[in-house]
Amino acid sequence: MGGLFEALFSPARPAVEQQQAVPVPQFERRLPSIRREASRPRPKIRYAALPKSEPLQLHIAERQTPISMSSGPMNALLKDPTLRPGDIVVLKDGARVFTGNEDKTHTVRDFEPVSRSASVDRKTKALLSMMIAPMGALPPDEVRKFMARLKKNTPASDQNSDAQVQTVSMRIITP
């Protein structure tokens, strides 16, 4: 457009500056070649071993001493001085919540079932039950009773009786 926009929107310039053209120096940028980079001396790096650390010293308090399991796990649990009210332990008959006093000796009565505990919320109870027993699994006592009923109700198989064998197609579903 012949400098129309410059004339309209740029500030006024003195006439002397417009007549003098300042040459702009042109520099050639040379890229380093691979051979020059490879032949350049590299700084020497020295590796030194770190000083040896002091041996780890753990302070074990009286409450952290290991408990002997020689008399059985239940006796070891009853002697555990680190139990606090609200701690959950899993025993043979299910999860139990410790409700006793932490300073006194513990008894089996100090543990109540999680299902009856007021200190455990509903969501935690559900998560605990899913971790311990799969969905639909029966407790061991009920399984024993069920197996005993099955044995009683099963007729004794005689060698003379004709047993009919039925085949059932099986479908296996893997999640």
Side-chain angles (χ1 to χ4, degrees):
M1 292 279 184
L4 175 69
F5 287 112
E6 287 180 17
L8 291 174
F9 298 111
S10 64
R13 297 184 193 170
V16 177
E17 186 180 317
Q18 289 178 356
Q19 291 176 356
Q20 288 181 344
V22 179
V24 178
Q26 301 260 338
F27 295 104
E28 275 186 43
R29 185 170 179 206
R30 295 172 61 186
L31 297 174
S33 68
I34 296 173
R35 289 183 183 160
R36 285 185 195 156
E37 288 294 322
S39 64
R40 183 184 299 173
R42 296 178 187 246
K44 291 184 179 179
I45 300 172
R46 298 185 72 190
Y47 294 97
L50 294 174
K52 284 190 174 183
S53 64
E54 296 175 10
L56 184 63
Q57 296 177 357
L58 297 174
H59 175 68
I60 299 176
E62 309 91 41
R63 295 187 80 128
Q64 295 176 332
T65 55
I67 299 171
S68 172
M69 296 286 283
S70 60
S71 60
M74 190 62 187
N75 286 335
L77 180 66
L78 294 177
K79 292 177 185 176
D80 188 4
T82 61
L83 279 175
R84 303 282 181 267
D87 286 354
I88 299 173
V89 294
V90 179
L91 304 174
K92 286 182 181 180
D93 55 343
R96 302 277 180 154
V97 180
F98 179 68
T99 56
N101 190 346
E102 60 190 61
D103 296 328
K104 296 182 180 177
T105 56
H106 313 308
T107 62
V108 180
R109 288 176 293 203
D110 292 337
F111 297 92
E112 68 179 3
V114 172
S115 59
R116 284 191 265 146
S117 177
S119 61
V120 180
D121 65 339
R122 195 173 11 143
K123 186 177 180 182
T124 307
K125 288 178 187 178
L127 290 172
L128 247 165
S129 67
M130 283 189 282
M131 283 190 276
I132 294 173
M135 193 67 143
L138 297 173
D141 293 337
E142 290 185 33
V143 170
R144 284 188 212 103
K145 291 175 186 175
F146 181 74
M147 292 302 291
R149 274 187 273 141
L150 273 179
K151 287 180 184 177
K152 286 180 184 177
N153 294 338
T154 323
S157 61
D158 295 332
Q159 291 181 350
N160 296 337
S161 67
D162 296 328
Q164 294 181 350
V165 178
Q166 294 179 349
T167 58
V168 179
S169 62
M170 185 181 294
R171 183 174 158 198
I172 299 173
I173 301 173
T174 358

Short mmCIF file of all heavy atoms in Angstrom, two decimals, residues 55-86:
data_model
loop_
_atom_site.label_atom_id
_atom_site.label_comp_id
_atom_site.label_asym_id
_atom_site.label_seq_id
_atom_site.Cartn_x
_atom_site.Cartn_y
_atom_site.Cartn_z
N PRO A 55 25.55 -46.57 61.88
CA PRO A 55 24.61 -47.70 61.97
C PRO A 55 23.26 -47.23 62.51
O PRO A 55 23.19 -46.36 63.38
CB PRO A 55 25.29 -48.67 62.94
CG PRO A 55 26.40 -47.93 63.56
CD PRO A 55 26.71 -46.74 62.71
N LEU A 56 22.22 -47.80 61.94
CA LEU A 56 20.87 -47.43 62.32
C LEU A 56 20.59 -47.89 63.75
O LEU A 56 20.76 -49.06 64.08
CB LEU A 56 19.87 -48.08 61.36
CG LEU A 56 18.42 -47.72 61.55
CD1 LEU A 56 18.20 -46.23 61.31
CD2 LEU A 56 17.56 -48.51 60.61
N GLN A 57 20.20 -46.96 64.56
CA GLN A 57 19.90 -47.29 65.95
C GLN A 57 18.43 -47.01 66.20
O GLN A 57 18.00 -45.87 66.18
CB GLN A 57 20.77 -46.47 66.90
CG GLN A 57 22.25 -46.77 66.75
CD GLN A 57 23.09 -45.88 67.65
OE1 GLN A 57 22.57 -45.02 68.34
NE2 GLN A 57 24.39 -46.10 67.64
N LEU A 58 17.69 -48.07 66.41
CA LEU A 58 16.28 -47.93 66.69
C LEU A 58 16.06 -47.97 68.19
O LEU A 58 16.64 -48.79 68.89
CB LEU A 58 15.48 -49.06 66.04
CG LEU A 58 15.52 -49.11 64.52
CD1 LEU A 58 14.81 -50.37 64.05
CD2 LEU A 58 14.86 -47.89 63.95
N HIS A 59 15.20 -47.10 68.63
CA HIS A 59 14.84 -47.10 70.04
C HIS A 59 13.55 -47.89 70.18
O HIS A 59 12.51 -47.50 69.66
CB HIS A 59 14.65 -45.68 70.56
CG HIS A 59 14.15 -45.65 71.97
ND1 HIS A 59 14.92 -46.05 73.03
CD2 HIS A 59 12.95 -45.29 72.48
CE1 HIS A 59 14.20 -45.94 74.15
NE2 HIS A 59 13.00 -45.47 73.84
N ILE A 60 13.62 -49.02 70.83
CA ILE A 60 12.45 -49.86 71.04
C ILE A 60 11.97 -49.65 72.46
O ILE A 60 12.70 -49.92 73.42
CB ILE A 60 12.77 -51.35 70.78
CG1 ILE A 60 13.21 -51.53 69.33
CG2 ILE A 60 11.58 -52.22 71.09
CD1 ILE A 60 13.64 -52.92 68.99
N ALA A 61 10.75 -49.16 72.58
CA ALA A 61 10.18 -48.92 73.90
C ALA A 61 9.72 -50.24 74.51
O ALA A 61 9.67 -51.27 73.85
CB ALA A 61 9.00 -47.95 73.78
N GLU A 62 9.36 -50.18 75.78
CA GLU A 62 8.91 -51.40 76.47
C GLU A 62 7.65 -51.96 75.82
O GLU A 62 7.44 -53.16 75.78
CB GLU A 62 8.58 -51.12 77.94
CG GLU A 62 9.63 -50.40 78.73
CD GLU A 62 9.44 -48.89 78.70
OE1 GLU A 62 8.31 -48.40 78.79
OE2 GLU A 62 10.46 -48.21 78.57
N ARG A 63 6.82 -51.08 75.28
CA ARG A 63 5.55 -51.53 74.69
C ARG A 63 5.76 -52.17 73.32
O ARG A 63 4.85 -52.74 72.76
CB ARG A 63 4.60 -50.35 74.55
CG ARG A 63 4.19 -49.79 75.90
CD ARG A 63 3.15 -48.76 75.69
NE ARG A 63 1.88 -49.43 75.51
CZ ARG A 63 0.78 -49.17 76.17
NH1 ARG A 63 0.78 -48.22 77.05
NH2 ARG A 63 -0.33 -49.84 75.96
N GLN A 64 6.96 -52.07 72.74
CA GLN A 64 7.21 -52.59 71.41
C GLN A 64 7.99 -53.90 71.41
O GLN A 64 8.42 -54.35 70.37
CB GLN A 64 7.96 -51.56 70.58
CG GLN A 64 7.16 -50.31 70.32
CD GLN A 64 7.97 -49.28 69.58
OE1 GLN A 64 9.18 -49.23 69.69
NE2 GLN A 64 7.30 -48.45 68.82
N THR A 65 8.21 -54.48 72.54
CA THR A 65 8.97 -55.73 72.58
C THR A 65 8.16 -56.86 71.95
O THR A 65 6.94 -56.92 72.11
CB THR A 65 9.35 -56.12 74.03
OG1 THR A 65 8.15 -56.16 74.80
CG2 THR A 65 10.31 -55.12 74.63
N PRO A 66 8.81 -57.76 71.21
CA PRO A 66 8.07 -58.86 70.58
C PRO A 66 7.47 -59.79 71.61
O PRO A 66 8.04 -60.04 72.67
CB PRO A 66 9.12 -59.56 69.73
CG PRO A 66 10.43 -59.01 70.13
CD PRO A 66 10.22 -57.78 70.90
N ILE A 67 6.31 -60.32 71.29
CA ILE A 67 5.59 -61.22 72.19
C ILE A 67 5.85 -62.65 71.74
O ILE A 67 5.80 -62.95 70.54
CB ILE A 67 4.09 -60.91 72.18
CG1 ILE A 67 3.86 -59.48 72.66
CG2 ILE A 67 3.32 -61.88 73.06
CD1 ILE A 67 2.45 -59.00 72.50
N SER A 68 6.08 -63.52 72.68
CA SER A 68 6.33 -64.92 72.36
C SER A 68 5.04 -65.59 71.88
O SER A 68 4.00 -65.48 72.51
CB SER A 68 6.87 -65.65 73.59
OG SER A 68 6.94 -67.02 73.34
N MET A 69 5.12 -66.30 70.76
CA MET A 69 3.98 -67.00 70.20
C MET A 69 3.98 -68.47 70.60
O MET A 69 3.19 -69.25 70.10
CB MET A 69 4.00 -66.89 68.67
CG MET A 69 3.84 -65.49 68.13
SD MET A 69 2.18 -64.87 68.27
CE MET A 69 1.42 -65.72 66.92
N SER A 70 4.88 -68.86 71.50
CA SER A 70 5.02 -70.27 71.86
C SER A 70 3.76 -70.81 72.55
O SER A 70 3.43 -71.98 72.40
CB SER A 70 6.23 -70.48 72.76
OG SER A 70 6.08 -69.72 73.94
N SER A 71 3.04 -69.98 73.28
CA SER A 71 1.84 -70.45 73.98
C SER A 71 0.58 -70.30 73.12
O SER A 71 -0.52 -70.53 73.61
CB SER A 71 1.68 -69.70 75.30
OG SER A 71 1.56 -68.33 75.07
N GLY A 72 0.74 -69.91 71.87
CA GLY A 72 -0.41 -69.80 70.98
C GLY A 72 -0.71 -68.36 70.64
O GLY A 72 -0.40 -67.43 71.39
N PRO A 73 -1.37 -68.15 69.49
CA PRO A 73 -1.65 -66.77 69.06
C PRO A 73 -2.66 -66.05 69.95
O PRO A 73 -2.57 -64.85 70.15
CB PRO A 73 -2.17 -66.93 67.64
CG PRO A 73 -2.57 -68.35 67.50
CD PRO A 73 -1.76 -69.12 68.48
N MET A 74 -3.64 -66.76 70.49
CA MET A 74 -4.65 -66.10 71.33
C MET A 74 -4.02 -65.60 72.62
O MET A 74 -4.30 -64.48 73.06
CB MET A 74 -5.80 -67.07 71.61
CG MET A 74 -6.97 -66.41 72.26
SD MET A 74 -7.64 -65.14 71.17
CE MET A 74 -8.83 -64.38 72.22
N ASN A 75 -3.15 -66.41 73.24
CA ASN A 75 -2.47 -65.96 74.46
C ASN A 75 -1.56 -64.78 74.17
O ASN A 75 -1.44 -63.86 74.98
CB ASN A 75 -1.68 -67.10 75.09
CG ASN A 75 -2.58 -68.11 75.76
OD1 ASN A 75 -3.69 -67.78 76.17
ND2 ASN A 75 -2.13 -69.34 75.85
N ALA A 76 -0.90 -64.79 73.00
CA ALA A 76 -0.05 -63.67 72.63
C ALA A 76 -0.89 -62.40 72.43
O ALA A 76 -0.48 -61.31 72.82
CB ALA A 76 0.72 -64.00 71.36
N LEU A 77 -2.07 -62.57 71.85
CA LEU A 77 -2.96 -61.42 71.65
C LEU A 77 -3.43 -60.86 72.99
O LEU A 77 -3.51 -59.65 73.18
CB LEU A 77 -4.16 -61.83 70.79
CG LEU A 77 -5.18 -60.74 70.50
CD1 LEU A 77 -4.56 -59.67 69.62
CD2 LEU A 77 -6.40 -61.33 69.84
N LEU A 78 -3.72 -61.75 73.93
CA LEU A 78 -4.19 -61.28 75.24
C LEU A 78 -3.07 -60.59 76.02
O LEU A 78 -3.34 -59.79 76.91
CB LEU A 78 -4.74 -62.46 76.04
CG LEU A 78 -6.03 -63.08 75.48
CD1 LEU A 78 -6.44 -64.28 76.32
CD2 LEU A 78 -7.14 -62.06 75.40
N LYS A 79 -1.80 -60.88 75.69
CA LYS A 79 -0.67 -60.25 76.38
C LYS A 79 -0.18 -59.00 75.64
O LYS A 79 0.74 -58.34 76.10
CB LYS A 79 0.49 -61.23 76.49
CG LYS A 79 0.21 -62.38 77.42
CD LYS A 79 1.38 -63.34 77.43
CE LYS A 79 1.08 -64.56 78.26
NZ LYS A 79 2.17 -65.55 78.20
N ASP A 80 -0.78 -58.69 74.50
CA ASP A 80 -0.32 -57.57 73.67
C ASP A 80 -0.58 -56.24 74.37
O ASP A 80 -1.72 -55.84 74.56
CB ASP A 80 -1.03 -57.61 72.32
CG ASP A 80 -0.47 -56.60 71.34
OD1 ASP A 80 0.51 -55.91 71.68
OD2 ASP A 80 -1.02 -56.50 70.24
N PRO A 81 0.48 -55.51 74.74
CA PRO A 81 0.28 -54.23 75.43
C PRO A 81 -0.06 -53.07 74.49
O PRO A 81 -0.38 -51.99 74.94
CB PRO A 81 1.62 -53.99 76.11
CG PRO A 81 2.60 -54.68 75.24
CD PRO A 81 1.90 -55.86 74.65
N THR A 82 0.02 -53.29 73.18
CA THR A 82 -0.24 -52.20 72.24
C THR A 82 -1.70 -52.10 71.83
O THR A 82 -2.06 -51.20 71.08
CB THR A 82 0.61 -52.37 70.96
OG1 THR A 82 0.26 -53.59 70.33
CG2 THR A 82 2.09 -52.36 71.28
N LEU A 83 -2.56 -53.00 72.31
CA LEU A 83 -3.98 -52.95 71.95
C LEU A 83 -4.64 -51.70 72.53
O LEU A 83 -4.42 -51.35 73.68
CB LEU A 83 -4.72 -54.19 72.47
CG LEU A 83 -4.60 -55.43 71.62
CD1 LEU A 83 -5.27 -56.61 72.33
CD2 LEU A 83 -5.22 -55.24 70.27
N ARG A 84 -5.41 -51.05 71.70
CA ARG A 84 -6.17 -49.87 72.12
C ARG A 84 -7.64 -50.12 71.85
O ARG A 84 -7.99 -50.87 70.93
CB ARG A 84 -5.74 -48.64 71.31
CG ARG A 84 -4.27 -48.31 71.37
CD ARG A 84 -3.94 -47.60 72.68
NE ARG A 84 -2.54 -47.26 72.75
CZ ARG A 84 -1.61 -48.02 73.31
NH1 ARG A 84 -1.93 -49.17 73.83
NH2 ARG A 84 -0.36 -47.64 73.37
N PRO A 85 -8.54 -49.51 72.61
CA PRO A 85 -9.97 -49.67 72.33
C PRO A 85 -10.29 -49.22 70.90
O PRO A 85 -9.85 -48.17 70.46
CB PRO A 85 -10.64 -48.77 73.36
CG PRO A 85 -9.66 -48.67 74.47
CD PRO A 85 -8.31 -48.73 73.83
N GLY A 86 -11.03 -50.07 70.19
CA GLY A 86 -11.36 -49.79 68.80
C GLY A 86 -10.51 -50.56 67.81
O GLY A 86 -10.81 -50.58 66.62
#
